[in-house]
Amino acid sequence: MDKLSTLHLCGWLRFKHLMLLTYLAESRNMHVAARAMYLSQPAASKMLKDLEDYFGFALFERLPRAMHPTELGEQVIRHARILLNDAERLVDDINDLREGGYGHLLVGAIAAAAPEILPAAIACLKRRRPRLSVSLQEQTSDRLLLDLEHKRLDLVIGRLTHVSQHNLFDFEPLLDEPLRVVVRRDHPLVVQGKVPGLAELSRWPWVLHPLSSPMRGVFEAALAEEGVPTPANIIETTSIQATLQLLQTSDSLAVLPRSVLRRPLEGGQYVILNRVIGKPLDYYGIVSRRGEVLPSAAQELIGYLREEARKDHYPSRGEEAVASVL
């Protein structure tokens, strides 16, 4: 089989081919994909056959009730999504510029970065570029990195979640994160004035991140080290606001990074127990796609992030006082 060439691929491949692949990957149904593209099913089927003939291998496995991507098909679909997201970004940027704007920056951040370092850096950036549109998405690192890979984000402030990801991304560390146990101020553990061991704490209800998150991984590792089973009464959420609200309305405990807790502690509604859970989370930092030149706005934001990371981010005096009495 002849080797593919970039020149020939660019001359032959059309965006409609990419759209068909992504619609099929999502629906697993040719009829649904054809309808989404306003095509007849025979026309869509022929388009897929042309693609498979061109690449020289099957992109989808035809099953009685569904079409599943093959292993090679998954790789082609992955690149199709990236190219379509690039095209969508091109359209958005052009429309923004035609309407008098100055570009659009898409940033993803984990909860630890969202309340402190990143807002301060974005505020600095906006003072320099007031007409720049900035979109901020808060999520766990694993989901953010998938969006970064598929070009739905320009930049992520988070952590690499697998050793192989260094092949896809560049990573620049900013800060590490000790995890603390937080409860409402009038929680029974606060009234008692002492903090029990991890085994007893695990019997209380907990609000935790999903198992796929690094923060949850540290918590589970700390339990395993002491031979303590995972708490039976758990609510899983990535939302900091939902977590804090659940703490206020129940006897739940939560494990959160220090930076997230600074402002809630200053308000006096919450207390951190004098217990650090496990080892500090690995450094979170700036994650970008390897080998790509970042937009100038993203490069400027990174400069401000570095400045914020160099500042003093240790616990406030109020936080230290609360911890010391417990």
Side-chain angles (χ1 to χ4, degrees):
M1 186 178 72
D2 292 337
K3 188 175 181 179
L4 289 176
S5 75
T6 303
L7 182 63
H8 191 269
L9 179 68
C10 291
W12 181 84
L13 194 66
R14 299 290 180 264
F15 276 98
K16 63 183 181 181
H17 293 131
L18 306 179
M19 292 174 65
L20 176 65
L21 290 175
T22 57
Y23 280 130
L24 266 177
E26 291 166 6
S27 68
R28 308 295 172 99
N29 184 287
M30 181 62 77
H31 176 71
V32 173
R35 186 171 57 189
M37 295 182 65
Y38 301 98
L39 295 173
S40 67
Q41 185 166 333
S45 296
K46 182 181 184 304
M47 192 184 301
L48 178 60
K49 184 179 184 304
D50 290 343
L51 277 165
E52 292 180 325
D53 288 344
Y54 181 84
F55 286 114
F57 51 78
L59 298 171
F60 287 86
E61 184 182 0
R62 278 72 164 173
L63 300 174
R65 295 183 179 276
M67 299 180 66
H68 290 283
T70 63
E71 185 175 354
L72 291 172
E74 288 280 11
Q75 294 302 312
V76 177
I77 292 163
R78 171 178 165 268
H79 286 286
R81 287 194 176 108
I82 291 172
L83 291 169
L84 287 173
N85 286 329
D86 252 349
E88 184 177 349
R89 180 64 183 277
L90 172 64
V91 171
D92 288 344
D93 284 351
I94 289 175
N95 286 335
D96 188 51
L97 291 169
R98 289 173 65 181
E99 292 169 6
Y102 288 88
H104 192 186
L105 184 62
L106 305 173
V107 182
I110 59 172
E116 296 234 341
I117 289 182
L118 187 55
I122 290 175
C124 292
L125 179 65
K126 288 290 286 180
R127 283 194 288 270
R128 289 286 305 273
R129 300 174 180 244
R131 308 265 321 254
L132 174 71
S133 174
V134 180
S135 295
L136 176 59
Q137 175 184 340
E138 184 180 331
Q139 222 357 307
T140 55
S141 289
D142 54 331
R143 297 184 184 182
L144 291 173
L145 293 180
L146 186 61
D147 283 343
L148 181 65
E149 179 186 353
H150 290 164
K151 295 196 173 183
R152 292 189 284 264
L153 293 171
D154 295 314
L155 200 66
V156 163
I157 314 305
R159 297 179 178 85
L160 299 183
T161 58
H162 194 274
V163 291
S164 65
Q165 288 173 335
H166 73 277
N167 295 309
L168 295 174
F169 307 115
D170 289 322
F171 177 77
E172 178 183 335
L174 288 172
L175 291 172
D176 64 352
E177 280 289 288
L179 297 180
R180 308 302 296 266
V181 179
V182 59
V183 296
R184 70 174 194 273
R185 176 165 286 278
D186 58 348
H187 192 281
L189 287 172
V190 178
V191 176
Q192 294 169 10
K194 62 179 181 179
V195 181
L198 196 54
E200 186 173 338
L201 287 178
S202 71
R203 300 191 185 102
W204 290 85
W206 283 82
V207 184
L208 298 169
H209 268 215
L211 279 168
S212 60
S213 75
M215 194 186 308
R216 179 68 177 276
V218 170
F219 179 72
E220 294 291 339
L223 293 174
E225 188 173 336
E226 297 191 23
V228 177
T230 300
N233 188 349
I234 289 177
I235 296 174
E236 291 187 345
T237 179
T238 59
S239 169
I240 299 302
Q241 289 303 317
T243 298
L244 294 175
Q245 188 61 35
L246 286 164
L247 294 183
Q248 275 295 308
T249 56
S250 71
D251 287 338
S252 295
L253 291 71
V255 58
L256 292 170
R258 184 190 62 214
S259 61
V260 168
L261 296 171
R262 189 186 304 271
R263 295 190 186 279
L265 290 171
E266 289 173 353
Q269 293 178 293
Y270 305 93
V271 168
I272 56 173
L273 304 185
N274 193 19
R275 167 133 200 165
V276 176
I277 296 294
K279 298 177 181 178
L281 281 169
D282 289 339
Y283 279 82
Y284 70 77
I286 301 159
V287 190
S288 57
R289 287 182 293 274
R290 170 148 291 192
E292 288 194 16
V293 177
L294 287 169
S296 59
Q299 294 180 31
E300 191 171 338
L301 178 64
I302 288 173
Y304 293 129
L305 285 166
R306 290 168 179 156
E307 291 178 15
E308 290 299 318
R310 284 193 292 267
K311 294 178 182 178
D312 184 356
H313 287 281
Y314 287 96
S316 64
R317 291 180 182 176
E319 182 180 333
E320 289 173 344
V322 170
S324 66
V325 301
L326 296 174

